[in-house]
Amino acid sequence: MTSHRKPRTRILASPGSRRTAAGLTTAALASVTLLSQTAEAAPRQPRQSIEEVKQKVDDLYRQAEAATQQYNAAKEQADERRSTVDRLLDDTARRTQKMNDARRELGTYASAQYRGGGISPTAQLLLAQDPQQFVDRSHLMDRLSGRQQQVVTDYQEQQAKAVRQRAEATRSLERLTETQASLKESKKDVQDKLTEARQLLSRLTAQEKARLAELERKKEAEAQRKAEELARKQAEKERKEREDRKQHDTPGQGTGSGSPDGGSGGSSGGGTADDGSYATKAAKALAFARAQMGKPYVWGATGPNSYDCSGLTQAAWKAAGVSLPRTTWDQVKTGDRVATDDLKPGDLVFFYNDISHVGMYIGGGKMIHAPKPGASVRVESIYYMPIYGSVRPA
């Protein structure tokens, strides 16, 4: 039986075709080899040491705190401008009401003239859409009675004030919009810094996390050592001051005890009325701060369930009847500057060159503060961070 299958065309294996195939194969192998060598030669990003990671994370937290203070300042400004706008709008509404009252009274006079016999030129002007036309034609004023002239004057004044207040309200609204944009930008900056810090920490291995914890323990131990040294210096200073007061006391001046409030370290003594007044206020502020222990740090928070650093110090001193500004940058300008060796309980201690953090001194070289995201209000050595300076706020 005859097959109908089409015969397969044979490819001639000539020497030239074999050379072409060999060349293509060689080129392909060369390409693979080159790509492999290029991949191996590509520089790899060196893995950061745990010390470098810690430094980076600390820097990001500090930058986030600085951005938080910018956010706090912008929010405070926005709140103030929003209040200003609301007040201006309320004033404008009241002014418009007064203007309408004056206009109704003008209409009453015009109606009376109409009932008295026709619409006079005066009445036509009073009923005009633009009252300024009436004012411009001052030669008609002498036709009005004294009370009518007063009503016209009042209307003119109310109208002018209403125009000014509307313009001021418009400008305030524009400034408020700008402040709100700044507020949004500061908020994003804080969130970006915190996100980057969390990402760095999330990439650490278990071993690296253990090494990071060890570095933190060493840092805390060194800070505690310095706090104890300051406590000893302050206690010695208090002892000498008590002895000096006893030596200068005479029998006619009482027992000569004159000791300060007895807080742990930090009091420079002196026994003056001002010292007693400050110690009383500071005790109230510290009692409030201690009651917040364990509450979480939340950037931009002012209580009662969470705080940032300046929100805590502001709320604590408010409980003692002392009003502090919102940001660390403004709080550092209040009260009197104090040397670290002369710190008393209640004093505010500020940190870093950009003054981005603050805590409240409790004595013994320690403070209460809201540390950073992920941490809670706690007691810590003032030497845990580089000190910028301190103030006595009251």
Side-chain angles (χ1 to χ4, degrees):
M1 184 175 179
T2 306
S3 174
H4 297 284
R5 186 171 54 188
K6 184 178 181 180
R8 184 169 49 186
T9 304
R10 296 183 62 187
I11 300 174
L12 296 177
S14 65
S17 62
R18 286 197 296 271
R19 285 196 298 270
T20 302
L24 290 172
T25 302
T26 303
L29 290 173
S31 297
V32 171
T33 303
L34 180 60
L35 289 172
S36 175
Q37 291 175 347
T38 302
E40 292 177 358
R44 293 181 180 179
Q45 186 70 21
R47 187 173 180 82
Q48 289 181 310
S49 68
I50 194 61
E51 289 81 6
E52 290 173 332
V53 170
K54 182 181 184 306
Q55 183 62 52
K56 180 65 174 177
V57 169
D58 288 346
D59 288 345
L60 285 169
Y61 278 136
R62 182 183 59 77
Q63 292 166 18
E65 279 210 284
T68 297
Q69 296 308 314
Q70 291 175 338
Y71 171 86
N72 292 340
K75 186 175 186 303
E76 187 176 44
Q77 194 174 52
D79 291 342
E80 291 174 355
R81 288 179 173 173
R82 188 176 292 106
S83 297
T84 299
V85 168
D86 291 342
R87 177 182 56 79
L88 286 171
L89 292 176
D90 289 343
D91 289 346
T92 300
R94 285 192 294 269
R95 189 74 61 188
T96 300
Q97 182 60 45
K98 290 180 180 180
M99 186 174 67
N100 291 337
D101 291 343
R103 185 165 187 167
R104 278 194 294 271
E105 190 168 359
L106 286 173
T108 301
Y109 292 139
S111 297
Q113 287 188 356
Y114 175 78
R115 289 193 300 270
I119 301 179
S120 67
T122 300
Q124 294 175 17
L125 290 171
L126 289 174
L127 295 174
Q129 290 296 321
D130 184 4
Q132 190 63 39
Q133 295 175 2
F134 169 78
V135 178
D136 292 339
R137 301 181 184 182
S138 57
H139 66 280
L140 295 175
M141 292 293 289
D142 56 2
R143 301 184 184 181
L144 304 176
S145 66
R147 173 56 188 162
Q148 290 172 326
Q149 290 180 8
Q150 183 61 47
V151 170
V152 172
T153 301
D154 289 346
Y155 178 77
Q156 181 184 12
E157 290 177 354
Q158 298 299 338
Q159 185 185 41
K161 289 179 180 177
V163 170
R164 287 196 298 269
Q165 284 187 328
R166 286 195 190 97
E168 186 177 354
T170 299
R171 290 193 296 270
S172 295
L173 281 170
E174 291 172 353
R175 289 194 293 268
L176 175 59
T177 301
E178 293 173 358
T179 303
Q180 288 173 329
S182 176
L183 186 65
K184 184 177 181 180
E185 183 178 349
S186 297
K187 182 177 181 178
K188 184 179 183 303
D189 194 15
V190 174
Q191 293 172 331
D192 289 346
K193 300 294 184 187
L194 296 180
T195 298
E196 187 177 354
R198 285 192 290 266
Q199 289 174 345
L200 278 173
L201 292 173
S202 68
R203 289 195 289 265
L204 296 179
T205 64
Q207 185 177 2
E208 288 172 331
K209 289 178 180 178
R211 172 61 179 156
L212 180 62
E214 178 62 24
L215 290 175
E216 283 291 335
R217 284 192 292 270
K218 287 183 178 180
K219 181 179 179 180
E220 290 170 0
E222 177 61 16
Q224 178 61 25
R225 183 191 66 77
K226 291 182 178 180
E228 292 170 355
E229 182 181 343
L230 176 61
R232 284 193 295 270
K233 290 171 63 177
Q234 291 179 331
E236 178 63 18
K237 183 178 181 180
E238 285 184 5
R239 185 186 66 78
K240 289 181 178 178
E241 288 175 346
R242 285 196 296 269
E243 290 179 354
D244 289 343
R245 286 196 299 273
K246 288 179 180 179
Q247 291 176 359
H248 287 86
D249 281 344
T250 61
Q253 291 180 323
T255 62
S257 60
S259 62
D261 64 341
S264 61
S267 177
S268 61
T272 66
D274 287 344
D275 286 341
S277 175
Y278 180 75
T280 300
K281 293 177 181 177
K284 292 179 180 178
L286 286 171
F288 178 93
R290 286 191 173 97
Q292 314 313 309
M293 295 273 288
K295 292 184 178 180
Y297 174 103
V298 174
W299 64 271
T302 57
N305 299 318
S306 57
Y307 297 89
D308 64 17
C309 64
S310 56
L312 177 64
T313 52
Q314 183 188 45
W317 271 104
K318 183 180 180 180
V322 177
S323 178
L324 292 182
R326 177 65 181 93
T327 70
T328 55
W329 302 325
D330 291 327
Q331 289 183 9
V332 75
K333 300 173 186 176
T334 62
D336 301 320
R337 294 299 293 267
V338 181
T340 301
D341 287 350
D342 297 328
L343 283 169
K344 291 182 179 181
D347 291 346
L348 302 181
V349 186
F350 297 87
F351 301 90
Y352 302 110
N353 289 334
D354 58 2
I355 323 175
S356 56
H357 191 75
V358 62
M360 183 180 296
Y361 191 67
I362 64 172
K366 295 182 180 181
M367 64 177 172
I368 292 179
H369 71 142
K372 60 185 178 181
S376 300
V377 176
R378 67 191 182 199
V379 172
E380 203 155 41
S381 168
I382 62 172
Y383 293 103
Y384 186 77
M385 295 167 282
I387 297 173
Y388 171 84
S390 306
V391 301
R392 188 157 297 148

